[in-house]
Amino acid sequence: MSFDSYKTIGEVLQEFTITATEANYILETDTVIREAFKEDLEFCLREFTVEESEYAICETIIFPLLKEVYRQYRDKFTLWSHKPITYDQQLTGIPDYILAKRSPLGKQIFEKPYFVAVEAKKDDFIKGWGQCLAEMIAIQKLNDQSEQTIFGIVSNGQLWQFGKLKGNLYTREINNYTISDLERLYSAINYVFSQCELELENQQ
């Protein structure tokens, strides 16, 4: 099955014997956001009708925000867009965005991934999380390290939700974040990047 074949997170939990829970695990810290980025994002939100196009949501909100946070982590990671991954016939497909270890051989080499981000198409977060968790499980199996924490984000551009997978335990962040509160959202995404950095350092 491809990742987008999973319609609900319950399907994935049963298929792969994963336990689900919820917690408030994201630690928000004060973050300085570049004024140039804020101005560009405000311009896009004001001038483009992004709600009518899934591609526009990715191109004007989701990827630019991930890319902005990624700037300070680019020495250690590569941010991939629509990179196909396959573990087996059950776990295959094209995640929207993947953060992976930067290869010493160059940015063209796909190394160990640490988190995935999925667009909630048509505002369907139920299916979005089914797809995202399947992708997180595929990454866990590809990395062959069950104790590594894999992170996931599902967003429709306006609303952002966070989750993580360690072993057979999937944890959803209780708090939701919105683009209208950019500082808190940016801080939450930055937290995920920083945790990926810690995972990378612990495995070296």
Side-chain angles (χ1 to χ4, degrees):
M1 296 175 63
S2 63
F3 299 130
D4 59 7
S5 296
Y6 293 98
K7 306 301 182 185
T8 69
I9 203 165
E11 292 180 24
V12 184
L13 297 174
Q14 290 183 312
E15 181 77 25
F16 298 98
T17 318
I18 302 293
T19 300
T21 186
E22 293 185 346
N24 183 357
Y25 66 85
I26 289 181
L27 301 177
E28 300 172 22
T29 55
D30 292 336
T31 307
V32 177
I33 308 174
R34 290 189 312 130
E35 286 299 323
F37 170 73
K38 289 197 289 187
E39 291 174 4
D40 187 63
L41 181 61
E42 290 171 2
F43 172 81
C44 291
L45 293 173
R46 184 174 63 249
E47 298 296 334
F48 299 126
T49 310
V50 298
E51 295 84 0
E52 295 184 6
S53 168
E54 295 170 359
Y55 295 108
I57 291 171
C58 283
E59 292 172 358
T60 62
I61 302 178
I62 298 177
F63 183 68
L65 192 42
L66 293 175
K67 182 180 66 174
E68 183 67 16
V69 179
Y70 164 73
R71 291 170 68 93
Q72 59 186 308
Y73 297 93
R74 62 187 181 275
D75 292 339
K76 297 181 179 179
F77 296 102
T78 300
L79 182 61
W80 294 84
S81 174
H82 298 83
K83 170 71 175 177
I85 60 172
T86 298
Y87 175 72
D88 57 19
Q89 291 184 340
Q90 284 182 293
L91 296 169
T92 183
I94 306 176
D96 291 330
Y97 305 107
I98 305 175
L99 185 74
K101 177 183 176 182
R102 177 174 285 275
S103 171
L105 300 178
K107 63 183 180 181
Q108 297 85 356
I109 307 299
F110 185 69
E111 289 256 2
K112 180 184 296 183
Y114 286 80
F115 92 68
V116 291
V118 172
E119 181 192 3
K121 296 174 176 61
K122 299 180 181 178
D123 298 332
D124 190 347
F125 280 85
I126 294 175
K127 183 176 181 180
W129 271 113
Q131 178 181 339
C132 188
L133 181 56
E135 293 172 1
M136 293 161 72
I137 293 170
I139 287 175
Q140 183 186 70
K141 293 181 178 296
L142 285 169
N143 292 350
D144 195 25
Q145 291 182 319
S146 61
E147 289 308 303
Q148 177 190 351
T149 302
I150 308 298
F151 296 88
I153 298 173
V154 177
S155 173
N156 64 354
Q158 298 294 324
L159 181 67
W160 294 64
Q161 298 180 346
F162 295 79
K164 63 179 181 177
L165 175 69
K166 184 172 185 178
N168 65 348
L169 179 64
Y170 160 73
T171 305
R172 264 282 301 280
E173 166 61 43
I174 292 175
N175 292 315
N176 292 328
Y177 294 81
T178 64
I179 195 72
S180 60
D181 193 346
L182 182 60
E183 282 74 17
R184 287 192 67 215
L185 173 58
Y186 191 99
S187 178
I189 299 172
N190 187 59
Y191 170 81
V192 173
F193 273 83
S194 68
Q195 292 303 297
C196 291
E197 186 176 46
L198 287 176
E199 290 287 331
L200 176 63
E201 291 172 353
N202 290 338
Q203 292 161 20
Q204 290 178 344

